[in-house]
């Protein structure tokens, strides 16, 4: 681990006089542990440097917003960033940030192992941990009252995909999953959900692939032979691209989508998908956030991000932004630096967050998962070219939202809980 | 010329009362880059072009001078982070519909308020987290103040003492001493505060929180939130208007296509008007006699007319593309 970069953002607002305010909130220190790069960063399945850098952009913008708010209410945020390309590096970085830099909040989690390391470190030290990029359902079963998940759970993504594709008439699913822990867990969850006829779809076939294998033609031939309506790839992002290319080569006529890992929710991935498979790569994808989202303050947030960084606000950037926003609001409302105090406020059923998604959101009490709507985008035909902002944005188009937030007469909490695991699916924590 | 569309037996039931017929409605058409002027009978008087680039230039907030003779329109663009020449406040003569002047207001001006003496225009500058005060005649900048992130709602108190500005992302209200042009403090309110208005006696301010689903009631003397009216998490309150005596608060629920009516004395909701409401009511205003309330409906490009007696919808008036705000201006009483 190296504490490679440190950002200390002040509350200066040049040229504008601040009023004499009672400093009600103490200054919060947030430690971000991100796999930004280095020789230990694995190529696959993680290779998380790109989404981690996007997350850092979001974290930084949010810390700058917090500096603006500090001019109003006191407090403010020091954002400290550590590069940690492995789970063990993440554990060491987190311990150092807590012991030496006195952070009250840890942000990170790009693999299940990363997130677990940060969660355990947080639990041992009374620190709040906000997971921004690890969707694994197993992490939601950790009985740790200090771990909260801004990233959507795998169950939420799978339910959202089921909702969309079944509605579009795709009821017979073929699944290609990686033969590793992540792939098996996703497959098991999907199988149980579809087997229970919850969404009205069924499995028409399943193929396991070695995540280390790069020759995926056998799986592609299975995809070409199936009588399914669609294909779902429950593999890492890199294998998804290889499978798309292989599917294209054998002429798979079916729509193909993949599990939306953080690395697969970026404009870069959409361009790579289109390049790998000009037809099959123009699929519909689920995402946590969409930089062309326009309503309920999303336009303003997306525009401020794009103006700050010259890039669209990809989903990992949004998750980083919201993590700092949530932490600073907890600090502001509690006037506390205690991880337990902050966590108690996050857990309060009366606490509501504005995620720029147009609906009041909250953490589910049974697994501390942030309730929220997800989006469906379609990768554009012209997704491969150009790095200018407009061309990057044009790589995908927003096509849907689930759950739909505009359903008058329904309870918003129940509406958001249409996707993901419920309390009855979770272990009882003593 | 477009006419008021009847919903039932329209005629006299829908037309504005005689006391209100000296007023025109001004409607900003956010996606049409224009301002519609509609008379008291629901007839289109004229449409004022704000820009020849609809979809790029967006008129939003409107404020009417206290004498009713000048309408001020906040004009910006659709990229909140960009600085465009169009960022300005456009002054329009209510009687003639002609443009009087443009005041430069960089930073994406969104909403406006006018001081009770008509001399000062207050603007929220959405892109740069600031509020600004301008001389209404000369356009000279009189003051500039930090606000919460994404400032939106602006109000000037009837007694001339205060200007309040909401900050959407910071959940804040910024309080400015309008006489001294001095920042006083900031308050935390509900999530995503959109609009703020004062009671007629300036003793209270009401702040709508779109995501929080609440109305925060601020005691302006104590500068403290003294009451929070819960409309429901999913009520999406945006613009508000008070009846002339201040006993009823009408709240546009943009995301729910509903208008909530609150008894200000008790804080109770006395009506939820949803039947035949236009889609996405955002702006809202009341006739001077309080007999009618009007909403600007962004999704249905219309103005909905609400009767204060039945608290029901009595008419729809076509508006331009993306109706955002609606205000009333005097036309016939000018000397």
């Amino acid at each position: 681990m190296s504490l490679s970069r440190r950002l200390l953002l002040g509350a200066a607002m040049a040229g504008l006089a601040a009023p004499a305010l009672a400093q009600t909130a103490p200054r919060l220190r947030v430690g971000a542990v991100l796999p930004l790069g280095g020789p230990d960063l694995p190529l696959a399945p993680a290779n998380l440097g790109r989404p981690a850098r996007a997350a850092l952009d979001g974290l930084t913008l949010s810390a700058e917003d917090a500096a603006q708010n500090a001019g109003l209410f006191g407090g403010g945020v020091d954002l400290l960033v550590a590069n940690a390309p492995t789970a063990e590096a993440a554990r060491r970085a987190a311990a150092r940030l807590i012991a030496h830099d006195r952070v009250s909040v840890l942000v990170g989690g790009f693999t299940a192992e990363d997130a677990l390391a940060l969660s355990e470190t947080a639990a041992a030290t009374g620190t709040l941990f906000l997971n921004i990029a690890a969707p694994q359902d197993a992490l939601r079963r950790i009985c740790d009252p200090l771990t909260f998940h801004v990233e959507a759970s795998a169950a939420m993504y799978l339910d959202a995909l089921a909702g969309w594709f079944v509605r579009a008439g795709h009821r017979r699913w073929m699944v290609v999953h990686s033969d590793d822990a992540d792939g098996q867990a996703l497959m098991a969850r999907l199988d149980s959900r579809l087997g229970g006829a919850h969404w009205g779809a069924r499995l028409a076939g399943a193929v396991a692939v070695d995540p280390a294998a790069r020759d995926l033609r056998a799986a592609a031939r299975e995809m070409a032979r199936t009588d399914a309506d669609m294909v779902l790839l429950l593999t890492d992002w890199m294998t998804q691209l290889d499978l798309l290319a292989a599917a294209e080569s054998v002429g798979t006529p079916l729509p193909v989508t993949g599990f939306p890992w953080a690395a697969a929710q970026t404009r870069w991935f959409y361009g790579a998908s289109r390049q790998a498979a000009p037809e099959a790569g123009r699929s519909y994808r689920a995402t946590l956030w969409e930089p062309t989202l326009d309503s309920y303050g999303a336009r303003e947030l997306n525009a401020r991000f794009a103006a700050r960084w010259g890039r669209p606000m990809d989903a990992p950037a949004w998750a980083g932004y919201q993590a700092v926003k949530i932490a600073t609001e907890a600090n502001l409302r509690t006037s506390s630096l205690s991880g337990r105090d902050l966590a108690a406020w996050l857990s309060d059923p009366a606490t509501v967050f504005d995620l720029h998604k147009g609906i009041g959101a909250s953490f589910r009490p049974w697994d501390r998962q942030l309730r929220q709507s997800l989006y469906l985008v379609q990768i554009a035909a012209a997704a491969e070219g150009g790095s200018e902002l407009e061309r990057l944005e044009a790589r995908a188009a927003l096509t849907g939202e689930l759950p739909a937030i505009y359903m008058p007469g329904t309870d918003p909490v129940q509406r958001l809980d249409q996707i993901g695991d419920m309390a009855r699916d979770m272990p009882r924590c003593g | 010329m477009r006419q008021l569309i009847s919903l039932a037996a329209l005629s006299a039931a829908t037309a504005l009362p005689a006391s209100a017929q000296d007023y025109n409605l001004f409607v900003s058409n956010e996606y049409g880059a224009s301002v519609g002027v509609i008379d008291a009978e629901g007839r289109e008087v004229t449409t004022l072009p704000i820009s020849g680039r609809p979809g790029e230039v967006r008129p939003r907030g409107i404020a009417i001078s206290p004498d009713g003779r000048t309408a001020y329109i906040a004009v910006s663009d659709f990229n909140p982070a960009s600085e465009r020449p169009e960022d300005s406040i456009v002054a329009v003569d209510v009687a003639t519909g002609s443009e009087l002047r443009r005041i430069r207001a960089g930073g994406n001006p969104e909403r406006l308020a006018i001081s009770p003496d008509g001399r000062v225009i207050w603007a929220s500058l959405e892109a740069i987290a600031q509020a600004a005060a301008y001389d209404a005649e000369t356009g000279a900048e009189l003051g500039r103040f930090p606000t919460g992130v994404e400032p939106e709602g602006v109000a000037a108190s009837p007694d001339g003492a205060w200007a309040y500005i909401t900050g959407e992302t910071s959940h804040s209200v910024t309080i400015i001493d309008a006489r001294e042009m001095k920042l006083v403090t900031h308050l935390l309110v509900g999530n995503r505060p959109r609009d703020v208005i004062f009671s007629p006696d300036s003793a209270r301010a009401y702040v709508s929180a779109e995501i929080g689903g609440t109305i925060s009631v601020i005691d302006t003397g104590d500068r403290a939130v003294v009451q929070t009216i819960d409309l429901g998490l999913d009520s999406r309150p945006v613009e508000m208007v008070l009846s002339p005596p201040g006993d009823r608060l009408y709240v546009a629920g943009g995301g729910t296509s509903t208008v909530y009516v609150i008894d200000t004395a008790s804080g109770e909701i006395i009506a939820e008007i949803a039947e035949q409401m236009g889609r996405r009511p955002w702006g809202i205003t009341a006739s001077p006699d309080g007999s009618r309330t009007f909403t600007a409906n962004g999704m249905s490009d219309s103005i909905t007319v609400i009767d204060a007696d039945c608290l029901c919808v009595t008419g729809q008036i076509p508006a331009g593309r993306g109706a955002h705000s609606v205000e009333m201006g005097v036309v016939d009483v000018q000397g």
Side-chain angles (χ1 to χ4, degrees):
Chain A
M1 185 280 295
S2 63
L3 209 61
S4 62
R5 193 171 169 192
R6 177 174 297 196
L7 301 176
L8 296 172
L9 299 166
M13 291 184 291
L16 298 171
L21 284 175
Q23 300 295 299
T24 55
R27 194 168 181 83
L28 184 69
R29 296 170 81 81
V30 174
V33 182
L34 308 173
L36 291 165
D40 292 336
L41 195 65
L43 178 62
N47 195 8
L48 297 166
R50 188 173 283 106
R53 285 191 291 277
L56 179 57
D57 290 347
L59 289 160
T60 304
L61 179 66
S62 196
E64 291 170 355
D65 280 1
Q68 175 79 17
N69 290 336
L72 313 186
F73 301 112
V77 168
D78 293 331
L79 176 63
L80 299 100
V81 180
N83 175 33
T86 66
E88 277 313 302
R91 190 183 298 276
R92 291 193 298 273
R96 180 176 177 79
L97 284 164
I98 294 165
H100 294 275
D101 296 298
R102 305 182 314 283
V103 302
S104 300
V105 182
L106 290 172
V107 176
F110 279 74
T111 66
E113 295 77 17
D114 277 1
L116 187 60
L118 295 177
S119 177
E120 289 175 351
T121 306
T125 56
T127 307
L128 178 68
F129 168 49
L130 299 175
N131 164 27
I132 58 170
Q136 287 85 357
D137 291 326
L139 295 167
R140 278 72 184 167
R141 299 172 193 277
I142 297 172
C143 292
D144 176 9
L146 295 171
T147 292
F148 291 74
H149 307 281
V150 176
E151 164 68 302
S153 67
M156 292 168 70
Y157 283 125
L158 291 174
D159 284 351
L161 286 169
W164 283 317
F165 280 96
V166 168
R167 193 178 304 166
H170 304 302
R171 289 176 174 266
R172 292 174 300 167
W173 292 26
M174 179 185 176
V175 177
V176 180
H177 66 90
S178 57
D179 194 14
D180 60 7
D182 279 339
Q184 290 165 0
L186 290 172
M187 185 65 210
R189 206 283 177 182
L190 182 73
D191 194 21
S192 71
R193 204 68 159 188
L194 295 188
H198 182 72
W199 292 102
R202 66 177 177 82
L203 278 177
V207 176
V209 296
D210 178 353
R214 301 271 61 90
D215 183 353
L216 298 163
R217 283 176 292 182
R221 283 193 290 272
E222 291 290 328
M223 292 160 63
R225 279 198 293 265
T226 182
D227 64 349
D229 299 322
M230 61 162 289
V231 177
L232 172 61
L233 308 178
L234 300 180
T235 67
D236 64 76
W237 67 270
M238 194 173 179
T239 306
Q240 288 184 34
L241 291 178
D242 288 347
L243 281 165
L244 284 166
E248 188 90 355
S249 70
V250 300
T252 300
L254 303 176
V256 182
T257 190
F259 186 80
W261 301 103
Q265 297 188 39
T266 66
R267 256 34 190 181
W268 177 87
F269 179 87
Y270 299 157
S273 175
R274 180 70 176 84
Q275 279 188 321
E279 288 301 320
R282 293 168 54 192
S283 60
Y284 290 91
R285 307 283 311 193
T287 185
L288 189 65
W289 180 252
E290 164 54 29
T292 61
L293 194 62
D294 195 28
S295 300
Y296 300 109
R299 177 205 301 272
E300 285 71 26
L301 178 60
N302 281 324
R304 287 195 294 115
F305 184 91
R308 178 69 175 83
W309 301 111
R311 296 183 285 277
M313 187 177 214
D314 283 328
W318 175 88
Y321 178 89
Q322 296 298 342
V324 169
K325 182 169 183 283
I326 287 168
T328 53
E329 288 181 10
N331 166 246
L332 196 58
R333 300 284 184 176
T334 62
S335 298
S336 175
L337 296 177
S338 157
R340 290 188 174 83
D341 289 347
L342 301 176
W345 188 77
L346 300 188
S347 299
D348 188 333
T351 298
V352 175
F353 302 97
D354 174 17
L355 307 176
H356 296 78
K357 290 190 173 187
I359 189 168
S362 55
F363 284 102
R364 299 192 307 218
W366 53 88
D367 60 359
R368 295 159 308 284
Q369 169 65 54
L370 188 59
R371 297 179 169 102
Q372 56 188 305
S373 48
L374 303 175
Y375 303 99
L376 186 71
V377 299
Q378 184 175 24
I379 297 174
E384 69 266 37
S387 59
E388 303 87 354
L389 179 64
E390 291 77 11
R391 297 184 76 173
L392 287 171
E393 288 179 341
R395 287 182 177 186
L398 180 67
T399 59
E401 172 192 61
L402 196 96
I405 64 165
Y406 183 63
M407 295 171 68
T410 60
D411 177 78
V413 171
Q414 291 180 351
R415 198 180 312 152
L416 292 177
D417 282 344
Q418 289 177 55
I419 57 173
D421 286 328
M422 299 298 102
R424 62 178 176 273
D425 303 316
M426 292 292 157
R428 288 182 179 275
C429 296
Chain B
M1 181 172 287
R2 291 179 294 186
Q3 298 286 329
L4 191 69
I5 296 175
S6 67
L7 289 174
L10 180 65
S11 63
T14 307
L16 300 182
S19 60
Q21 290 188 352
D22 295 331
Y23 291 82
N24 276 345
L25 287 167
F26 282 69
V27 188
S28 57
N29 301 315
E30 183 178 9
Y31 293 95
S34 64
V35 171
V37 185
I38 297 164
D39 73 13
E41 300 297 331
R43 294 176 297 230
E44 180 183 3
V45 175
T46 187
T47 296
L48 311 173
I50 295 296
S51 167
R53 295 188 291 119
E56 294 181 44
V57 177
R58 60 194 312 203
R60 287 186 286 178
I62 301 177
I64 305 290
S65 62
D67 65 5
R69 298 178 180 182
T70 307
Y72 298 92
I73 299 122
V75 178
S76 59
D77 61 83
F78 279 90
N79 185 347
S82 70
E83 184 77 28
R84 296 283 181 88
E86 284 84 2
D87 285 5
S88 59
I89 299 165
V90 178
V92 174
D93 184 289
V94 167
T96 65
S98 59
E99 182 175 319
L100 298 171
R101 56 192 172 278
R102 290 197 180 217
I103 297 170
R104 176 67 186 161
N108 226 257
E110 180 163 1
R111 289 189 183 275
L112 306 173
I114 307 296
S115 63
D117 62 7
R119 293 180 177 175
V120 179
I121 306 168
W122 291 91
S124 55
L125 304 177
E126 183 182 28
I128 56 176
Q130 293 177 17
Y134 302 96
D135 185 295
E137 279 300 315
T138 68
E141 185 174 302
L142 304 175
R144 191 173 278 242
F145 308 91
T147 66
V149 176
E150 294 171 27
E152 177 161 343
V154 189
S157 64
D159 64 4
W162 312 110
Y164 280 24
I165 299 94
T166 68
E168 286 181 71
T169 295
S170 303
H171 320 312
S172 61
V173 171
T174 294
I175 299 178
I176 297 166
D177 184 325
R179 296 192 180 103
E180 300 295 327
M181 284 288 163
K182 183 180 176 184
L183 182 59
V184 177
T185 193
H186 311 270
L187 301 178
L188 276 173
V189 290
N191 275 2
R192 192 157 286 272
R194 287 282 191 177
D195 193 22
V196 55
I197 60 173
F198 284 97
S199 60
D201 62 1
S202 300
R204 292 282 188 271
Y206 301 90
V207 182
S208 60
E210 183 186 24
I211 296 300
T214 59
I215 306 296
S216 297
V217 184
I218 297 172
D219 183 311
T220 58
D222 294 340
R223 295 194 289 272
V225 175
V226 294
Q227 183 183 15
T228 300
I229 301 169
D230 187 0
L231 299 178
L233 184 57
D234 212 24
S235 52
R236 321 265 180 101
V238 284
E239 262 199 40
M240 303 171 290
V241 69
L242 279 162
S243 59
D247 58 342
R248 280 182 181 176
L249 180 68
Y250 294 86
V251 184
T256 53
S257 296
T258 299
V259 168
Y260 307 90
V261 186
I262 297 167
D263 181 301
T264 54
S266 66
E268 299 292 324
I269 302 171
I270 58 174
E272 294 185 17
I273 305 166
E275 192 172 318
Q276 302 194 28
M277 272 297 305
R279 301 291 90 186
R280 192 178 178 266
W282 205 258
I284 189 166
T285 193
S287 61
D289 65 358
S291 64
R292 299 286 188 272
T293 300
F294 305 87
T295 62
N297 311 314
M299 295 293 283
S300 52
D301 302 341
S302 63
I303 305 295
T304 293
V305 186
I306 295 169
D307 182 275
D309 289 332
C310 68
L311 292 177
C312 61
V313 173
T314 57
Q316 305 280 1
I317 305 169
R321 182 74 184 86
H324 181 283
S325 289
V326 57
E327 298 291 346
M328 298 197 100
V330 179
V331 287
D332 290 341
V333 296
Q334 300 187 67

